[in-house]
């Protein structure tokens, strides 16, 4: 006897598949950053390692901003689950603004590092600042993917593709953004304590 799948069962199965794929992607990214931070720890024993290097103040602000992104994305997800389209719009746009603010603050931080006489590449660079640059730029590359997906989510939201019964896109975006948030907080704390 042949059984047919209901629309709700199909949506549920599709949602599980997409979430599992995203989870695998996040695990592979975590492994990559674990490798980078392990190399950072090993390199600390080098004679040319900068023992007195301080993180730029812009990185402290960017950490607060990315935590704000996570909060606004969570609120957007909660709002769409209640079919509150206006609040969803507000929180999605706030997430986008904060995400762009995070990127700007990262570049301000790079400028502060250079202004203090440290360089990322070339003859005047050090292994410490080069590692810092690689770790933050790789995170920014992943964040660029998050911003692109956020723009797609905002576009779909304005096309009214999300409602209380169809929240998959926003859920996936929120999952990825929370991951980026936790990843940056980990990197920031790691760079702060393992100078």
């Amino acid at each position: 006897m042949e059984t047919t799948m209901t629309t709700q069962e199909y949506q549920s199965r599709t949602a599980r598949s997409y979430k599992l794929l995203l989870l695998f992607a996040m695990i592979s990214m975590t492994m990559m950053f674990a490798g980078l931070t392990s190399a950072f720890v090993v390199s600390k024993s080098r004679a040319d390692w900068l023992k007195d290097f301080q993180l730029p103040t812009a990185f402290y602000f960017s950490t607060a901003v990315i935590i704000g992104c996570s909060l606004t994305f969570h609120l957007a997800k909660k709002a769409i689950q209640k079919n509150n389209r206006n609040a969803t719009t507000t929180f999605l746009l706030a997430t986008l603004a904060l995400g762009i603010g995070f990127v700007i603050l990262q570049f301000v931080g790079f400028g502060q590092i250079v202004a203090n006489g440290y360089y990322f590449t070339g003859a005047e660079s050090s292994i410490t600042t080069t590692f810092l640059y690689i770790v933050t730029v790789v995170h920014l590359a992943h964040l660029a993917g998050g911003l692109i997906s956020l723009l797609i989510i905002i576009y779909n939201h304005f096309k009214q593709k999300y409602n209380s019964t169809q929240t998959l896109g926003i859920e996936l975006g929120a999952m990825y953004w929370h991951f980026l948030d936790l990843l940056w907080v980990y990197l920031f704390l790691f760079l702060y304590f393992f100078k």
Side-chain angles (χ1 to χ4, degrees), residues 3-17:
T3 59
T4 57
M5 200 182 322
T6 66
T7 304
Q8 189 175 4
E9 288 172 335
Y10 176 77
Q11 286 177 341
S12 176
R13 193 172 288 182
T14 302
R16 276 196 308 272
S17 298

Side-chain angles (χ1 to χ4, degrees), residues 61-187:
F61 294 114
S62 68
T63 303
V65 167
I66 202 167
I67 291 170
C69 286
S70 220
L71 176 65
T72 54
F73 219 140
H74 174 74
L75 293 171
K77 184 178 89 167
K78 291 295 179 191
I80 199 63
Q81 288 170 342
K82 295 176 184 173
N83 268 333
N84 187 341
R85 296 194 57 75
N86 289 336
T88 304
T89 301
T90 300
F91 291 129
L92 286 175
L93 293 176
T95 304
L96 179 62
L98 289 169
I100 292 168
F102 175 83
V103 173
I104 291 167
L105 285 167
Q106 293 288 283
F107 282 101
V108 168
F110 292 154
Q112 289 174 339
I113 292 169
V114 172
N116 287 333
Y118 299 109
Y119 297 92
F120 304 113
T121 59
E124 296 178 356
S125 68
S126 76
I127 189 68
T128 310
T129 54
T130 301
F131 258 114
L132 174 72
Y133 182 72
I134 290 168
V135 166
T136 53
V137 166
V138 171
H139 181 264
L140 280 172
H142 289 91
L143 191 102
L147 286 171
I148 291 167
S149 67
L150 178 57
L151 287 170
I152 293 167
I153 289 166
I154 290 169
Y155 174 80
N156 285 338
H157 172 65
F158 283 120
K159 288 286 193 179
Q160 300 193 5
K161 292 190 176 181
Y162 304 122
N163 57 51
S164 61
T165 60
Q166 176 51 32
T167 62
L168 181 61
I170 293 178
E171 284 182 54
L172 292 171
M175 271 179 68
Y176 185 65
W177 209 269
H178 295 328
F179 167 74
L180 290 173
D181 177 10
L182 288 172
L183 182 60
W184 175 254
V185 170
Y186 159 72
L187 291 172

